[in-house]
Amino acid sequence: MRTSHAFSLVAVLAALSTTTSSAQEKIDRDIQWKIRREAIDNSQLMRTLQVLTDVYGPRLTGSPNLKGASDWVIKETTAWGLKNAHLEPWTFGHPGWLNERMSVHVVSPVKDALVAEALAWTPGTNGPVTAQTVALELPTRPTQAQLSAFLDTERTKVKGRIVLVGTPAMLGVTIDPPAKRREDADVRAQFEGGGSPFGGPQGPAAAPPPDKSVLTANQIAEQVDQFLVSAGAVGRVNDAGRDHGQIRAFNNRTFDIAKAVPTVVMRNEDYGRLWRLMAGGRTVELELNIVNRSYPEGATQYNVIAEIPGADNSAEVVMLGGHLDSWHAATGATDNAIGCATMLEAIRILQAIGVTPRRTIRVALWSGEEQGLLGSQAYVKEHFGTFESPKPEYANFAGYFNIDSGTGRARGMTVFGPPEAAAILRDATRPFADNGFFGATTTTSRRRGGSDHTSFNEVGLPGIGVQQDPIEYQTYTWHTNLDTYERIIEDDARQSAMVIAAAVYHLAMRDEQLPRLPKDRMPALPTP
């Protein structure tokens, strides 16, 4: 289902005229109408997205691309009339990294170009390198003794070779594709009925205690990297393990290029082919040509901040944002340039229609989200502290809206706090039911994870996660080489920007802040 650019004037008027709000929540229907008109008539959303993706993508944390995108946002928001646009530094502690060029070819026993992506924070090849391949089939769930014994037997085999690590994933053909939209009735029941949140990034559930005798996947990966370096391997190839040519390429977890050999993640279709050729007794040779660069200045990273100053209650702040960094296999459109473009559009709309909010409205675009919510964690620590040890700004915080689940339109919100907080957001957004937006529910989890709103939840502040339709996100575009401008649905993002702008404005104008959990109902911080 794809909504037309031209929203129905009759439908919008009907939604506004039939809005019923509680005695406490007085909805400014005139402002909501102006928000809709500005979003429809003067949208800058796709222009913003295009610059963030085509010009500055990918935007890996620490890379010059991310710094360029951040500087552009400062200039752009200042041109819109926002105030106090600036970069706030935080310590990443690792050099930046960028893949400039890469090619992988099989040169024997056949000749063909292969599809792969470089693993971040690994070295380049210093020119084309040709070498035979060798397969490294790792033991399953090994102990330290088992892994050490296995690697000792393989040491002489990998010297001077390009090593394919792990058997190829056997992926079945997808017969029934996953749904891209949720039925309105299901969404309405969850958000108007106060049920559990759906979709979008949520804090992970507590895992059962691990078997300490068995090495974790991270421990195995780090030891295999060290083994390949010490044994003199020329390069490493990992199986992407996904269908239809998808590649998710993450990083060498040490962030130290000296602790890894040149490494690529290859699409499953090519990786499987090479493995089968070797299994059939054929000698396989690959040519790698990888140009990677490190940037020491990337050890300091930045969050992007800009705002509409408040009037009579300017010390209090309502925030909205998303993470500007991305992975490097594509241009980071659905994760999360479209989220940033949506939040920038929401605050641009409010600035363009000339609102005078009582509270300051502040947009924040985070870096380091993909490495563990690092940018938002640093910001929250610096400005707010925690529920247990608050800083002065803690009392002045009135809510943070976050969007980070791809191109799908906003369908509801999940706020950390009591039921009263969800009721306020439900009233404020009720006129947008014609857009398929059906209210809010609550969470009391202080477990960090998923996306940046949980950095606020963790310290007891009202982080608000915007829940979206799951358009190809977890199935195809999340962190993959398919995450490009072409995967964006403009109408969905416009509708999201409208409802977020209206909700932000409402919280900025209320007499009271969004209710928080009182001390006797505040859950304890979860154990690590």
Side-chain angles (χ1 to χ4, degrees), residues 123 136 148 151-161 163 221-236 257-262:
L136 193 66
S148 297
L151 294 178
D152 284 344
T153 65
E154 301 296 310
R155 183 169 294 274
T156 58
K157 301 177 185 177
V158 304
K159 183 177 177 59
R161 301 290 186 91
V163 184
E222 187 170 341
Q223 291 188 46
V224 170
D225 277 337
Q226 293 171 355
F227 163 74
L228 294 177
V229 171
S230 65
V234 170
R236 172 175 177 167
I257 65 171
K259 294 182 177 179
V261 297

Side-chain angles (χ1 to χ4, degrees), residues 49 53 59 331-339 483-486 488:
L49 175 75
T53 54
R59 302 171 306 281
T331 57
T334 70
D335 189 19
N336 183 37
I338 190 57
D483 189 7
T484 63
Y485 180 94
E486 288 76 13
I488 298 302

Side-chain angles (χ1 to χ4, degrees), residues 451-485:
S451 195
D452 293 293
H453 59 289
T454 66
S455 293
F456 294 83
N457 298 358
E458 182 182 33
V459 303
L461 291 172
I464 303 163
V466 178
Q467 313 299 324
Q468 300 167 256
D469 270 331
I471 310 293
E472 297 183 338
Y473 188 60
Q474 294 290 346
T475 51
Y476 285 104
T477 66
W478 180 68
H479 296 170
T480 77
N481 55 327
L482 306 183
D483 189 7
T484 63
Y485 180 94

Side-chain angles (χ1 to χ4, degrees), residues 253-275:
R253 290 181 178 270
T254 69
F255 296 92
D256 184 347
I257 65 171
K259 294 182 177 179
V261 297
T263 302
V264 300
V265 182
M266 185 174 291
R267 70 174 179 175
N268 176 257
E269 294 85 350
D270 287 340
Y271 190 91
R273 179 187 185 187
L274 298 180
W275 194 277

Side-chain angles (χ1 to χ4, degrees), residues 45 298 301 337 356 374 482 485 499 507-508 514:
L45 194 149
Q301 283 303 285
T356 305
L374 301 182
L482 306 183
Y485 180 94
V499 69
L507 295 195
L514 197 65

Side-chain angles (χ1 to χ4, degrees), residues 104-313:
V104 182
H105 290 79
V106 55
V107 295
S108 179
V110 296
K111 298 184 185 301
D112 203 356
L114 306 177
V115 180
E117 298 287 344
L119 194 74
W121 286 280
T122 57
T125 56
N126 295 317
V129 173
T130 300
Q132 289 185 17
T133 61
V134 63
L136 193 66
E137 189 170 351
L138 297 171
T140 302
R141 292 175 53 80
T143 64
Q144 182 61 66
Q146 289 169 335
L147 181 63
S148 297
F150 169 77
L151 294 178
D152 284 344
T153 65
E154 301 296 310
R155 183 169 294 274
T156 58
K157 301 177 185 177
V158 304
K159 183 177 177 59
R161 301 290 186 91
I162 296 171
V163 184
L164 276 66
V165 179
T167 57
M170 303 303 292
L171 304 173
V173 175
T174 302
I175 303 299
D176 298 315
K180 298 182 180 182
R181 296 278 189 204
R182 290 201 70 201
E183 292 294 334
D184 285 357
D186 292 341
V187 181
R188 191 188 299 273
Q190 289 209 271
F191 286 98
E192 290 194 345
S196 299
F198 79 91
Q202 300 296 322
D211 181 349
K212 294 184 179 180
S213 69
V214 174
L215 295 174
T216 67
N218 290 344
Q219 289 171 327
I220 295 170
E222 187 170 341
Q223 291 188 46
V224 170
D225 277 337
Q226 293 171 355
F227 163 74
L228 294 177
V229 171
S230 65
V234 170
R236 172 175 177 167
V237 182
N238 296 337
D239 176 20
R242 299 187 63 81
D243 62 0
H244 298 289
Q246 294 179 61
I247 298 172
R248 286 178 179 165
F250 296 115
N251 63 287
N252 159 26
R253 290 181 178 270
T254 69
F255 296 92
D256 184 347
I257 65 171
K259 294 182 177 179
V261 297
T263 302
V264 300
V265 182
M266 185 174 291
R267 70 174 179 175
N268 176 257
E269 294 85 350
D270 287 340
Y271 190 91
R273 179 187 185 187
L274 298 180
W275 194 277
R276 291 188 297 273
L277 288 170
M278 289 188 292
R282 292 176 171 83
T283 299
V284 175
E285 286 187 332
L286 298 184
E287 179 190 89
L288 304 180
N289 188 8
I290 306 170
V291 180
N292 296 330
R293 303 290 183 202
S294 292
Y295 295 87
E297 62 272 23
T300 298
Q301 283 303 285
Y302 304 90
N303 296 318
V304 186
I305 308 295
E307 59 192 25
I308 301 174
D312 61 299
N313 204 0

Side-chain angles (χ1 to χ4, degrees), residues 86-103:
H86 66 282
L87 302 179
E88 289 200 13
W90 59 274
T91 301
F92 181 41
H94 305 293
W97 181 94
L98 183 70
N99 170 247
E100 293 185 356
R101 186 178 308 168
M102 190 188 72
S103 64

